[in-house]
Amino acid sequence: MSKVLDILTFPDERLTQISAEVEVFDKPLHALLDDMAVTMYRSKGIGLAAPQVGKLVRLFVIDLGHTEGEEQKLYEFINPKISHTSGKIKYEEGCLSVPGYTEEVVRKANIQVDYQDRNGKAQTLEAHDLLAVAIQHENDHLDGILFLDRLSPLKRKIVKKRLAKAVTL
Ligand code: QAP
Ligand code: CO
């Protein structure tokens, strides 16, 4: 049966690590994907990457269903590679690993992502707007990058200091 996993929060150092490619597409991989979807839905998130639950492998799940005007559809991306980007979009982002904080981030508005599905089959998806933002946000987690790292240097410094302090209060 699927289970809800614990979500790591900033400043956990596992969120800064580079994750490893998935090479085996077996039952344990499917169980992890299922557990991550359940964990994302439980916390009312719209995206969750494996390093956020302490698994340093290159995969994430997305379902925009909790966002106004977006359809419910579960996406699974394994070993994603973003290419052919264009345009810019500014979106107010949050993150399950940075609870209670949101800020505007500028990203590409249109992307192509090549990835593998849970059976290891190669897939390509063209994504726009919120889905493109979500894929870029989750893909960053696989390289140890948080949306806080996409803020201006001054804002990033102030916010990281405040968030790290709030943990130790
Ligand atoms: C990443 O973010 C994302 O602070 C997913 O108290 C962000 O699911 C993709 C959440 C923006 C696209 C656009 C955050 C829930 C969830 C919180 C999330 C909170 C409760 C964030
Ligand atoms: Co996140």
Side-chain angles (χ1 to χ4, degrees), residues 3-154:
K3 54 184 183 293
V4 175
L5 307 170
D6 289 332
I7 299 176
L8 306 179
T9 55
F10 177 85
D12 193 297
E13 72 152 53
R14 284 167 286 182
L15 294 171
T16 69
Q17 310 292 303
I18 294 188
S19 292
E21 297 263 326
V22 173
E23 293 182 7
V24 188
F25 294 78
D26 56 0
K27 269 273 180 56
L29 177 79
H30 297 171
L32 173 59
L33 287 162
D34 293 344
D35 291 348
M36 285 176 56
V38 164
T39 303
M40 172 179 68
Y41 290 131
R42 171 66 68 95
S43 44
K44 296 191 161 46
I46 59 173
L48 185 68
Q52 294 181 272
V53 293
K55 312 283 188 203
L56 296 182
V57 290
R58 305 189 75 82
L59 64 86
F60 52 81
V61 295
I62 289 174
D63 190 327
L64 305 179
H66 279 295
T67 310
E68 177 95 17
E70 297 286 345
E71 61 158 347
Q72 182 117 351
K73 177 177 163 64
L74 178 63
Y75 292 92
E76 296 175 337
F77 295 91
I78 301 165
N79 298 329
K81 298 220 170 15
I82 294 173
S83 56
H84 306 289
T85 65
S86 71
K88 285 206 170 142
I89 181 172
K90 196 190 269 186
Y91 195 87
E92 181 92 17
E93 297 193 16
C95 179
L96 290 171
S97 293
V98 189
Y101 179 77
T102 64
E103 188 54 85
E104 282 186 336
V105 179
V106 177
R107 298 193 189 265
K108 307 295 188 186
N110 312 290
I111 63 170
Q112 180 184 308
V113 57
D114 302 317
Y115 64 101
Q116 285 168 282
D117 64 22
R118 63 162 60 206
N119 300 311
K121 187 165 181 282
Q123 306 282 355
T124 299
L125 178 74
E126 275 188 40
H128 312 279
D129 306 316
L130 181 56
L131 182 57
V133 170
I135 290 168
Q136 291 168 84
H137 175 113
E138 300 310 331
N139 191 60
D140 269 355
H141 277 297
L142 309 185
D143 293 321
I145 297 168
L146 296 176
F147 79 98
L148 305 176
D149 300 309
R150 300 285 184 198
L151 305 179
S152 72
L154 179 61

